[in-house]
Amino acid sequence: MTTEVTPTSVAPKRNFNFLFALTLVGLLLLLCIVLSIATPSFATGNNISNLLRQGSMIAILAIGQTFVIITAGIDLSVGAVVGFSTVVVAGLLQAGVPIPIAILITLAVGLAIGCFHAFGIVKMGLPPFIITLATLTSLRGIGLLITNGSTINITNEAFTLFSRESFLGVPNLFWMVVIVAIPAFVFLHLSKWGRYLYAVGSNPEAARLSGVSVPKMIFIAYGLSSMFAAFVGVMLAARLGVGNATQGDGWELQAIASTVIGGTSLFGAIGSVHGPLIGAFILATIANGANLLNVNSFWQRIITGVLIIVIVFFDQLRRRNR
Amino acid sequence: MTTEVTPTSVAPKRNFNFLFALTLVGLLLLLCIVLSIATPSFATGNNISNLLRQGSMIAILAIGQTFVIITAGIDLSVGAVVGFSTVVVAGLLQAGVPIPIAILITLAVGLAIGCFHAFGIVKMGLPPFIITLATLTSLRGIGLLITNGSTINITNEAFTLFSRESFLGVPNLFWMVVIVAIPAFVFLHLSKWGRYLYAVGSNPEAARLSGVSVPKMIFIAYGLSSMFAAFVGVMLAARLGVGNATQGDGWELQAIASTVIGGTSLFGAIGSVHGPLIGAFILATIANGANLLNVNSFWQRIITGVLIIVIVFFDQLRRRNR
Amino acid sequence: MRSGSPDASSNADAQPILELRELEKRYGFIQALKPASLAFRRGEIHAIVGENGAGKSTLIKLLTGVIRRTGGKIVWNGAEVELATPNEAIAHGINAVHQEVVLCRHLSVAANIFLGDEAVKFGLLQKREMTRAAQKILDDMGFNLPADILLGDLTIGQQQLVATARASLRGTKFIIFDEPTAYLTRSEAAQLFALIRRLKDEGVTIVYISHRMEEVFELADRVSVLRDGTLVGTRNISDTNDAELVALMINRSLEQIYHKEAIPLGKVLLETRNLSGKGFNNVSLTVRAGEIVGLYGLIGAGRSEFALSVFGRNPKTAGDIVWQGNVVDMRNERTAIDLGIALAPESRRDQGLNLNLPIGLNINLPVYDQINSGIVVNAGEEKRRADQQIKDLGIKTPSRNSLASSMSGGNQQKIVIGKWLNHGAELFIFDEPTVGVDVGTKAEIYRLFAKLLKNGAGIILISSYLPEVYELADTLHVFRDGHLVGSQAYREKTHEDILAEAIGV
Amino acid sequence: ASAQDVTIPIIVKDTTSFYWQIVLAGARAAGKDLGVNVPELGAQAETDINGQISILENAVAGKPAAVVIAPTEKSALGAPITEAAKSVPIIGIDSSADSTAFTSFLTTDNVQGGRIAAQGLVAAVKAATGKEEGEVALITSVPNAGSLEERKQGFIEELAKYPGIKLVADKYADGQAATGLNITTDLLTANPNLVGIFASNLIMAQGAGQALAENGVADKVSLIGFDSDEKLVGFLKDGTIDGLVVQDPYRMGYDGIKTALAASKGEKVEAFVDTGANLITTANMEEARSQELLNPKVN
Ligand SMILES: Nc1ncnc2c1ncn2[C@@H]1O[C@H](COP(=O)(O)OP(=O)(O)OP(=O)(O)O)[C@@H](O)[C@H]1O
Ligand SMILES: Nc1ncnc2c1ncn2[C@@H]1O[C@H](COP(=O)(O)OP(=O)(O)OP(=O)(O)O)[C@@H](O)[C@H]1O
Ligand SMILES: [Mg+2]
Ligand SMILES: [Mg+2]
């Protein structure tokens, strides 16, 4: 028997993942090209800036969500955490807390919420769906209670100005995506922690037998997801100039949809950082394009649904044929 | 080697499932007892009727959702199907179609939507999350387009009266739950189709190699879920006396929550008909009790979240200790 | 009963590397392992044998920190240890190749080999280094596997080899193999044995679990026997023999394992004409009523793919399937089942079982069409049929309602077989039917084969265990690289001839 | 029964909205002043008709002296209100319903509010560009919310009276300020000649105002909002928003409870009261009445 390695006909997944991301980028580009032709205002610098701003928040949520979904979990609370965080940061700023400290406290609150989720899952044995749904419900209540159903007006100009400005011609909000995505990429794809996340999602028993602390990875995944959501809350508060507990309603579904469009499997262990990013911007581009083309709002919903099917379908085709 | 089956004292799963349902019933009863003591109006016939009415729609959605979840899928579209169906049935009734035919057509529309989901999953290889999310988005658009964003008023008195009346002292709406739940129970727990559903959810490959037609079961599960949602749409149209495409918003989450509270696993192959039923009525009782106790609506959310955690936690405990 | 003499071997006075004192494990009311005391000597190969469900895997899981003991002590190198977590076991240099592959399908082979022990530089994974290192390890062990492929793309046998490579890397002092050859063919097994001997030479203590007696006698220095959770004896391999071990295991003697009757061959049931599909090419063979057609070959030779195509699971790309004289379009599994073909697939976890469902449901899954009264399933018949198979195959379970996942490996395999015996068919395709099945039950299954044949059925028996196909098959076909390279009638050639054909030397 | 035992629940459309919190604040104050126990109830979204019906049923089951309700949907709430009115007097506030069983009604005419918004927008456009012409847009928070549809109706009807003004976009959002913001920025991109926007509720006005500020076009594009809070008042002050149509929610809540108490005692009450809608602009915002409307005492 020969001991050399015979090359097999099975294509290595690594390359394939890369190609897969390319397809999605291709679909996004195609969308952009069609829109550039259909409407003159699409390909203007101003609109691209708007587009980048519009997609950035869901994109960051989607990245956090991806960590959780890779562990075969789900985080329904992110929208509520966004809303709650706008209240926290707005309240702190109005109380005169300096911006950096207000932001840090808000992120810490987010982290704490995520740790609570992980605690519920790991220690109390609750399904992720339930514990995050419960937080979703409760957090909105707490936020509404704090604000008494109204909005907290942020009078700190420096804070709100940030969301409007650009750096090197790119909106600050999009830079936030870059700032989050790069470490997220390193974490998920280049560090051993990322590998452990996949292992936990793929086969928690195998991960445990390999000495991976499954609870720790669950804490990391949910902690990051909620912290990213808190970060988005800060961005949203800056963009809207208010804190309001009902904001971010339904964003969890948008984030999960971006994640799944980006090729993440809800059964865990499959997913990337770039996929959800592209997924989020595909959704943002569809909305932007529909607005620019002044599509009737009702038709806009129908078209969004159809496009989601079409895009994911072509992706599936591509994946199957490799 | 002994060939006889050695009887052991380990409780067979069947009984255990029964016990599990008992616990949930126990929790529901506990909730009711606490509320009866806390507020005199809870245990009145009138209020119990209200409670039965209020829980009935989510209960039926939850049963349909259970079929889908047992196959390890998810149906996010049910809320939208409910809203869309109110429009369909209202439109038909206003066009002078007799009640039974209007209802049958609406149910058929529901079935068709479900089959479309199954088609997307089986033939197009789309994740259930994506195809049902897409329908959710599109259906609301179509419903709004049909009604031009307004409401269709149902002038057929016989139709609307039905939802307010009772039979043998029990509200008609709750009888609908009975009418749905009994065949659903027979289907899931007593017929071969139920067995096949579990098999598909547990290991589709093994089911397939045992001669189970996996695609057929997927069609059945999603078809039933959407048809149940259409049925709920008819009930809602009767209760509201209008057709309105935005109704039922967020009901998918409530249905899924009821299902999960009722012991269904989102990873498939675990679930029952009675569990989700009880889950739905637990949620309805919490809302009803909070209203009766005049709990501030913000506190109501907080308490609902906490109670969901507590209830599922005790369930988990019970399950683990068997 | 305990192995009496402290014993004859030369390093008798040496301190044992690992000692169990009244070690025990309960699952609720099930006592999977009754208090057992045993000492493993430094550098020995210690085999453990026993029936399905005897507690072998349980013992191994206790030693590797997978599950926690419910009583007793473990002494490692003279000091009492907890072994409460896998980490602790790894830290001592204890590792195992478990019976069921416990690896991550979504990660590459290299990632699995280094999982938990990644090479990191500046916080970044050294993926290329690890792939290279993993490839070298695999090559050194003589395993013909690429390190950069996803684990899920490998067959179970190949996955088992990856698990072996992984364990050898961590078990620097003590390695346990739980039925490592179940899915391996002779040549891969030979490589594994070479590896085990090399490890022994390096001073590693080996525990070897197998249902194949000849492997035990080929490898082991000593052997311990478990029966019903009780350690019934330990023997020096030189002081014992096949018959004694089997008698210890099943508490009675077994005259004959391979049950073969002369059954007259009947009509041709199945004929494949130049059948091609994914993984196999141009395969022509026939199966007659009363005949066992054996398919032998190395891992990945294409036998399973062939079977799946015949069963309608995978489409053929060319050729014909002829069923009782008629060319049939094998559209899907249902078509095959309705024609009277049954397939017990090779991977019980992936293809054979619905693990988180009750045994009874698993056994009856193919027959629910037949046992309805009206619209509901006939519950009495459902119970009767499940209990029948549990009894016939000696499936060791408290109840038909127990989940398949709580069964020992061999008992799970029996469920896969029982499912199709329950259904009945004219042609049975058994793909690795006796993987992980104990000797007593194997004999039972072979006897059941004879019964099926007498009733006019035909059998395609795919096995990587040469003695099995060699002894049982009326006609033996050898697959290599997806082609039929040799066919012979019953016992025309020797083991060596057949092996040579399969390897292609 | 002593006054303390008297319970009069108030059921609003959406407890999470600031507007309804002001209504509740008014009701709360009335409860304190009159010694009435006032449970504050309401659905969690304006579109949740079924939720409101359930709440009404539950409230009636508690045998209150009277019920004050703001029906979310005209026809759907009709029958349940008629049903409830069999056992208790029902006082309607804010919006109407298809029922003749109301003992009294205190409403603002949302259609009228929409008309006022249209007039305000045209005036603002004229002030900015000197002419009564140009392209305008409408942003509605969610489809199918009764009061928003009425505002839209009034706005479009009134706009038709100005031939120079063209409604180029009529958009629905999803109730989120960020969506309102995104829609507005896209409207500005797609319609460079846009001169005015009507954002027909609080949240949309916040989003639209923020978009004008973000794109620096507050001078060029006039914006009219509906309802008010601190944020919008700030926008009004700095000119981002040109006018706010405000109702008197506080009074609606206060008078609703007051009327209900009277009705429960069998006193004669006025069958219909219009609490009015007013346009507050940067110019008149400092007037005392404006200040009262803009800064209701919530607590
Ligand atoms: N998780 C579990 N829950 C309950 N019982 C279990 C569980 N795991 C194993 N058992 C029981 O413990 C007993 C011993 O099982 P074990 O897996 O050790 O057998 P084994 O000797 O390895 O058998 P095989 O040769 O079939 O692999 C069996 O009766 C089995 O059903
Ligand atoms: N999922 C897969 N993707 C790609 N190739 C595969 C896959 N599964 C099997 N193969 C390839 O198909 C060929 C035939 O495999 P098959 O499982 O039929 O072999 P076999 O003779 O039954 O061996 P084994 O004893 O491993 O089951 C092999 O080359 C194998 O690598
Ligand atoms: Mg075992
Ligand atoms: Mg095989």
Side-chain angles (χ1 to χ4, degrees):
Chain A
M1 159 144 217
T2 56
T3 51
E4 19 154 53
V5 185
T6 46
T8 57
S9 50
V10 185
K13 283 278 153 162
R14 210 67 54 76
N15 291 355
F16 160 58
N17 249 340
F18 180 67
L19 272 182
F20 167 55
L22 264 192
T23 332
L24 266 192
V25 170
L27 284 167
L28 179 54
L29 283 182
L30 188 74
L31 211 59
C32 289
I33 291 170
V34 169
L35 284 174
S36 306
I37 295 167
T39 163
S41 44
F42 181 82
T44 59
N46 197 5
N47 186 58
I48 298 298
S49 285
N50 283 338
L51 183 56
L52 291 180
R53 269 194 212 112
Q54 289 162 11
S56 57
M57 301 198 204
I58 299 292
I60 293 177
L61 290 183
I63 294 175
Q65 188 73 247
T66 303
F67 297 149
V68 166
I69 294 182
I70 284 177
T71 69
I74 195 150
D75 188 350
L76 293 178
S77 75
V78 290
V81 173
V82 169
F84 185 70
S85 302
T86 64
V87 171
V88 173
V89 74
L92 290 170
L93 288 175
Q94 289 314 93
V97 177
I99 296 181
I101 296 177
I103 293 177
L104 281 181
I105 294 178
T106 310
L107 293 183
V109 169
L111 186 63
I113 295 168
C115 288
F116 174 68
H117 294 153
F119 178 84
I121 295 163
V122 171
K123 300 288 172 191
M124 299 171 73
L126 300 173
F129 188 93
I130 285 295
I131 178 89
T132 57
L133 178 74
T135 324
L136 153 68
T137 315
S138 290
L139 265 191
R140 292 235 185 267
I142 298 173
L144 285 165
L145 208 60
I146 293 176
T147 59
N148 196 17
S150 91
T151 36
I152 300 178
N153 192 11
I154 301 175
T155 48
N156 189 323
E157 277 295 320
F159 182 71
T160 50
L161 213 59
F162 175 81
S163 72
R164 283 182 219 153
E165 289 182 340
S166 294
F167 175 68
L168 299 179
V170 174
N172 284 351
L173 288 182
F174 187 74
W175 281 116
M176 294 300 106
V177 178
V178 176
I179 285 178
V180 168
I182 289 177
F185 186 88
V186 172
F187 168 79
L188 187 64
H189 296 288
L190 304 180
S191 86
K192 64 175 184 177
W193 303 109
R195 181 152 286 181
Y196 292 171
L197 271 190
Y198 286 103
V200 167
S202 174
N203 186 344
E205 184 61 13
R208 192 174 75 93
L209 291 192
S210 304
V212 174
S213 168
V214 177
K216 195 205 251 170
M217 296 317 300
I218 301 281
F219 270 92
I220 291 179
Y222 285 84
L224 284 178
S225 175
S226 291
M227 206 167 74
F228 282 16
F231 187 68
V232 171
V234 173
M235 287 165 65
L236 182 63
R239 185 150 195 236
L240 296 181
V242 297
N244 181 323
T246 58
Q247 294 310 300
D249 189 33
W251 285 18
E252 58 278 356
L253 276 192
Q254 288 187 49
I256 299 170
S258 304
T259 310
V260 177
I261 291 174
T264 312
S265 156
L266 287 173
F267 292 98
I270 299 175
S272 65
V273 164
H274 38 284
L277 263 184
I278 301 167
F281 281 100
I282 284 180
L283 289 181
T285 308
I286 294 176
N288 176 271
N291 282 336
L292 293 188
L293 291 171
N294 195 18
V295 176
N296 167 313
S297 322
F298 305 151
W299 272 110
Q300 194 166 326
R301 292 182 189 231
I302 301 174
I303 292 169
T304 305
V306 172
L307 276 182
I308 289 177
I309 294 181
V310 170
I311 288 171
V312 179
F313 173 63
F314 276 105
D315 244 18
Q316 293 299 109
L317 267 195
R318 173 86 176 155
R319 282 211 245 185
R320 248 180 289 167
N321 300 347
R322 310 189 189 191
Chain B
M1 142 167 227
T2 57
T3 50
E4 7 146 69
V5 185
T6 45
T8 64
S9 44
V10 177
K13 283 281 149 159
R14 213 54 67 71
N15 289 355
F16 160 57
N17 253 340
F18 179 67
L19 271 181
F20 167 57
L22 257 194
T23 332
L24 267 191
V25 170
L27 284 167
L28 180 54
L29 283 182
L30 189 73
L31 211 60
C32 290
I33 292 170
V34 169
L35 285 174
S36 305
I37 295 166
T39 163
S41 43
F42 180 81
T44 59
N46 195 4
N47 186 58
I48 298 297
S49 286
N50 284 341
L51 183 57
L52 291 180
R53 255 191 227 122
Q54 288 156 17
S56 56
M57 302 199 207
I58 298 294
I60 293 176
L61 290 183
I63 293 175
Q65 187 74 249
T66 302
F67 296 150
V68 166
I69 294 182
I70 284 177
T71 69
I74 196 151
D75 188 349
L76 293 178
S77 75
V78 292
V81 173
V82 168
F84 185 70
S85 303
T86 65
V87 171
V88 173
V89 75
L92 290 170
L93 288 175
Q94 288 316 94
V97 177
I99 296 180
I101 296 177
I103 293 178
L104 281 181
I105 295 178
T106 311
L107 294 183
V109 169
L111 186 63
I113 294 168
C115 289
F116 173 69
H117 293 153
F119 177 84
I121 294 163
V122 170
K123 300 287 172 192
M124 299 170 73
L126 300 173
F129 188 93
I130 286 295
I131 179 88
T132 57
L133 179 75
T135 324
L136 154 67
T137 316
S138 291
L139 265 191
R140 291 234 186 266
I142 297 173
L144 286 166
L145 210 59
I146 293 176
T147 58
N148 196 18
S150 82
T151 314
I152 301 178
N153 203 354
I154 301 174
T155 47
N156 189 323
E157 277 294 320
F159 183 72
T160 51
L161 213 60
F162 175 82
S163 71
R164 256 169 267 137
E165 289 183 340
S166 295
F167 176 68
L168 299 179
V170 174
N172 285 348
L173 288 183
F174 186 75
W175 280 115
M176 295 300 106
V177 178
V178 177
I179 286 177
V180 168
I182 289 177
F185 186 89
V186 172
F187 169 79
L188 186 64
H189 295 288
L190 304 180
S191 85
K192 64 174 182 177
W193 304 109
R195 310 278 201 278
Y196 290 169
L197 270 189
Y198 286 103
V200 168
S202 166
N203 184 347
E205 184 63 21
R208 183 174 174 178
L209 290 177
S210 302
V212 175
S213 168
V214 178
K216 194 203 253 173
M217 295 318 299
I218 300 281
F219 270 91
I220 291 179
Y222 285 84
L224 284 178
S225 175
S226 290
M227 206 169 73
F228 282 18
F231 187 68
V232 171
V234 173
M235 287 164 65
L236 183 63
R239 183 160 154 94
L240 300 182
V242 298
N244 180 318
T246 54
Q247 294 308 300
D249 189 34
W251 286 17
E252 57 279 355
L253 276 192
Q254 287 187 50
I256 299 171
S258 304
T259 309
V260 177
I261 291 175
T264 311
S265 157
L266 287 173
F267 292 98
I270 298 174
S272 65
V273 164
H274 39 285
L277 264 184
I278 301 167
F281 281 101
I282 284 180
L283 289 181
T285 308
I286 293 175
N288 175 277
N291 281 336
L292 293 187
L293 288 171
N294 185 23
V295 177
N296 166 309
S297 70
F298 304 153
W299 273 109
Q300 194 167 325
R301 289 186 187 225
I302 301 174
I303 291 169
T304 305
V306 173
L307 277 181
I308 290 177
I309 294 180
V310 170
I311 288 172
V312 179
F313 173 63
F314 275 106
D315 244 18
Q316 291 299 110
L317 266 195
R318 174 87 175 156
R319 283 212 246 184
R320 246 182 288 169
N321 300 348
R322 311 188 188 191
Chain C
M1 156 174 166
R2 200 130 301 151
S3 96
S5 61
D7 152 7
S9 129
S10 60
N11 46 357
D13 47 343
Q15 185 191 41
I17 183 158
L18 183 73
E19 208 184 330
L20 320 178
R21 295 188 186 149
E22 302 293 312
L23 190 66
E24 109 182 270
K25 174 68 190 177
R26 296 166 170 281
Y27 287 106
F29 297 100
I30 298 177
Q31 188 139 28
L33 186 67
K34 292 175 189 143
S37 300
L38 180 64
F40 296 102
R41 294 177 194 148
R42 216 168 288 273
E44 74 169 336
I45 298 181
H46 193 121
I48 295 180
V49 296
E51 280 185 302
N52 295 131
K56 305 180 295 297
S57 299
T58 304
L59 178 64
I60 272 41
K61 288 180 191 159
L62 288 170
L63 296 184
T64 47
V66 176
I67 53 176
R68 276 202 186 231
R69 59 181 185 263
T70 46
K73 285 182 184 148
I74 301 173
V75 179
W76 173 256
N77 273 329
E80 201 178 306
V81 288
E82 269 304 309
L83 289 184
T85 65
N87 261 345
E88 200 185 332
I90 294 173
H92 289 308
I94 304 176
N95 215 298
V97 180
H98 292 281
Q99 186 174 11
E100 309 294 348
V101 175
V102 198
L103 295 174
C104 299
R105 324 172 47 89
H106 301 87
L107 297 183
S108 71
V109 169
N112 270 292
I113 288 177
F114 286 107
L115 186 62
D117 195 20
E118 284 78 5
V120 174
K121 206 190 261 174
F122 311 120
L124 300 183
L125 285 175
Q126 300 305 105
K127 292 186 191 173
R128 211 164 294 152
E129 264 85 295
M130 283 192 284
T131 307
R132 213 176 296 134
Q135 190 65 65
K136 185 163 182 322
I137 292 165
L138 291 170
D139 293 352
D140 286 352
M141 291 178 178
F143 300 156
N144 184 11
L145 291 172
D148 56 356
I149 193 177
L150 279 194
L151 186 88
D153 287 345
L154 300 180
T155 64
I156 333 166
Q158 293 170 320
Q159 294 183 15
Q160 197 87 44
L161 295 180
V162 176
T164 303
R166 187 186 146 76
S168 330
L169 211 61
R170 283 176 181 67
T172 48
K173 304 235 171 65
F174 198 96
I175 306 185
I176 307 157
F177 293 91
D178 194 351
E179 295 189 43
T181 53
Y183 287 100
L184 302 190
T185 45
R186 183 85 162 231
S187 64
E188 285 117 7
Q191 272 165 344
L192 180 71
F193 292 173
L195 173 70
I196 290 175
R197 292 208 179 88
R198 203 166 71 218
L199 289 168
K200 178 189 152 97
D201 290 344
E202 288 164 12
V204 180
T205 310
I206 311 275
V207 174
Y208 189 87
I209 296 175
S210 180
H211 290 294
R212 297 181 184 169
M213 287 304 150
E214 71 279 9
E215 292 180 351
V216 171
F217 284 95
E218 188 180 338
L219 270 181
D221 300 314
R222 293 198 300 159
V223 52
S224 293
V225 182
L226 275 171
R227 186 171 72 225
D228 260 346
T230 312
L231 192 62
V232 291
T234 300
R235 298 284 184 272
N236 283 323
I237 211 73
S238 47
D239 304 343
T240 188
N241 59 34
D242 224 273
E244 188 196 12
L245 289 184
V246 171
L248 275 175
M249 274 165 65
I250 64 179
N251 210 11
R252 67 185 158 88
S253 64
L254 190 74
E255 324 76 59
Q256 181 198 24
I257 293 182
Y258 297 109
H259 180 89
K260 184 77 191 160
E261 293 176 35
I263 295 161
L265 299 189
K267 60 177 176 182
V268 173
L269 291 173
L270 176 85
E271 190 185 345
T272 64
R273 293 184 189 147
N274 303 325
L275 196 66
S276 300
K278 199 190 94 201
F280 67 95
N281 246 311
N282 222 3
V283 174
S284 302
L285 52 77
T286 57
V287 187
R288 294 159 166 273
E291 182 185 30
I292 295 185
V293 172
L295 304 185
Y296 184 72
L298 301 187
I299 285 189
R303 297 160 299 160
S304 300
E305 304 287 338
F306 168 75
L308 287 171
S309 282
V310 169
F311 191 61
R313 169 61 182 86
N314 293 341
K316 59 167 200 206
T317 52
D320 286 320
I321 298 172
V322 182
W323 178 252
Q324 304 198 356
N326 303 315
V327 173
V328 289
D329 172 17
M330 211 57 88
R331 218 174 274 147
N332 55 35
E333 307 79 7
R334 194 75 248 173
T335 321
I337 292 169
D338 290 345
L339 286 174
I341 304 177
L343 169 73
E346 70 177 327
S347 165
R348 54 180 175 248
R349 301 219 134 210
D350 296 340
Q351 307 169 301
L353 290 178
N354 292 98
L355 278 173
N356 55 354
L357 294 179
I359 297 172
L361 203 160
N362 273 289
I363 291 176
N364 283 312
L365 195 55
V367 301
Y368 278 118
D369 269 336
Q370 306 161 16
I371 54 168
N372 293 314
S373 42
I375 52 166
V376 303
V377 171
N378 180 339
E381 180 66 8
E382 190 184 20
K383 284 182 195 142
R384 196 193 61 72
R385 282 177 174 248
D387 290 342
Q388 172 88 45
Q389 294 307 326
I390 291 172
K391 182 162 161 278
D392 283 358
L393 292 167
I395 298 173
K396 201 183 163 209
T397 172
S399 147
R400 74 185 95 79
N401 294 326
S402 297
L403 300 189
S405 56
S406 72
M407 295 294 99
S408 77
N411 281 304
Q412 288 181 354
Q413 187 63 32
K414 293 183 201 170
I415 300 172
V416 179
I417 304 287
K419 176 158 143 173
W420 290 105
L421 295 180
N422 179 24
H423 181 268
E426 280 191 87
L427 174 69
F428 290 86
I429 307 174
F430 291 110
D431 196 351
E432 313 282 6
T434 58
V435 157
V437 171
D438 64 47
V439 272
T441 312
K442 256 186 209 161
E444 210 63 50
I445 288 176
Y446 299 149
R447 212 159 282 133
L448 282 165
F449 283 1
K451 205 167 115 193
L452 296 174
L453 296 174
K454 260 189 275 182
N455 292 342
I459 291 177
I460 296 179
L461 174 63
I462 301 176
S463 178
S464 302
Y465 187 40
L466 189 49
E468 181 172 271
V469 265
Y470 187 79
E471 297 293 334
L472 290 175
D474 298 289
T475 311
L476 182 60
H477 299 287
V478 178
F479 272 62
R480 188 174 74 225
D481 282 345
H483 293 272
L484 264 189
V485 291
S487 305
Q488 49 271 118
Y490 184 52
R491 286 185 198 170
E492 234 167 46
K493 297 186 183 173
T494 62
H495 278 203
E496 283 62 37
D497 296 338
I498 296 166
L499 205 55
E501 272 178 357
I503 299 171
V505 286
Chain D
S2 84
Q4 270 311 329
D5 294 338
V6 177
T7 296
I8 301 176
I10 178 164
I11 303 171
V12 298
K13 295 185 185 181
D14 173 10
T15 53
T16 68
S17 117
F18 185 54
Y19 175 83
W20 293 107
Q21 282 299 321
I22 300 172
V23 173
L24 292 178
R28 199 178 309 136
K32 213 178 272 162
D33 293 352
L34 305 170
V36 178
N37 181 21
V38 181
E40 298 162 19
L41 307 173
Q44 317 241 330
E46 203 162 332
T47 47
D48 185 7
I49 305 171
N50 186 48
Q52 206 190 35
I53 294 179
S54 297
I55 288 166
L56 176 63
E57 285 171 356
N58 290 342
V60 174
K63 302 214 176 356
V67 173
V68 179
I69 183 169
T72 49
E73 215 284 333
K74 228 176 154 61
S75 35
L77 263 295
I81 283 172
T82 309
E83 181 83 22
K86 286 177 190 158
S87 42
V88 288
I90 305 280
I91 311 299
I93 55 169
D94 191 78
S95 309
S96 62
D98 292 339
S99 171
T100 50
F102 286 106
T103 309
S104 175
F105 237 152
L106 297 86
T107 63
T108 53
D109 186 347
N110 274 305
V111 179
Q112 180 60 22
R115 290 203 188 97
I116 292 171
Q119 289 157 5
L121 186 60
V122 173
V125 167
K126 191 167 181 202
T129 63
K131 348 173 233 209
E132 275 181 8
E133 58 190 52
E135 298 175 350
V136 299
L138 166 65
I139 301 174
T140 306
S141 181
V142 286
N144 267 353
S147 51
L148 300 185
E149 293 301 323
E150 286 168 10
R151 285 170 203 173
K152 175 177 167 177
Q153 182 199 337
F155 180 75
I156 292 174
E157 278 174 16
E158 185 68 18
L159 220 52
K161 295 180 186 160
Y162 303 92
I165 302 281
K166 194 163 151 253
L167 185 66
V168 290
D170 171 10
K171 291 282 183 190
Y172 284 100
D174 59 0
Q176 296 292 302
T179 310
L181 203 170
N182 292 343
I183 288 177
T184 311
T185 42
D186 291 343
L187 282 176
L188 294 172
T189 309
N191 308 285
N193 301 324
L194 202 70
V195 294
I197 297 172
F198 172 39
S200 72
N201 79 344
L202 188 90
I203 294 290
M204 287 304 117
Q206 284 180 358
Q210 203 66 23
L212 296 192
E214 192 173 290
N215 284 265
V217 291
D219 298 338
K220 229 183 102 222
V221 182
S222 305
L223 175 63
I224 302 291
F226 212 105
D227 299 338
S228 76
D229 74 349
E230 205 188 326
K231 176 87 194 165
L232 296 192
V233 172
F235 277 147
L236 195 59
K237 216 175 261 165
D238 69 22
T240 305
I241 284 183
D242 297 84
L244 290 174
V245 180
V246 291
Q247 301 153 289
D248 195 351
Y250 188 85
R251 180 177 154 209
M252 234 183 287
Y254 194 99
D255 288 359
I257 296 296
K258 200 167 138 191
T259 314
L261 181 65
S264 74
K265 290 178 181 157
E267 293 168 16
K268 179 146 173 49
V269 294
E270 202 144 348
F272 188 85
V273 183
D274 185 355
T275 54
N278 312 276
L279 182 72
I280 297 182
T281 60
T282 317
N284 72 5
M285 70 180 290
E286 298 304 332
E287 290 168 17
R289 172 64 183 153
S290 302
Q291 281 301 313
E292 202 180 298
L293 288 170
L294 289 177
N295 300 308
K297 23 190 191 321
V298 176
N299 284 310

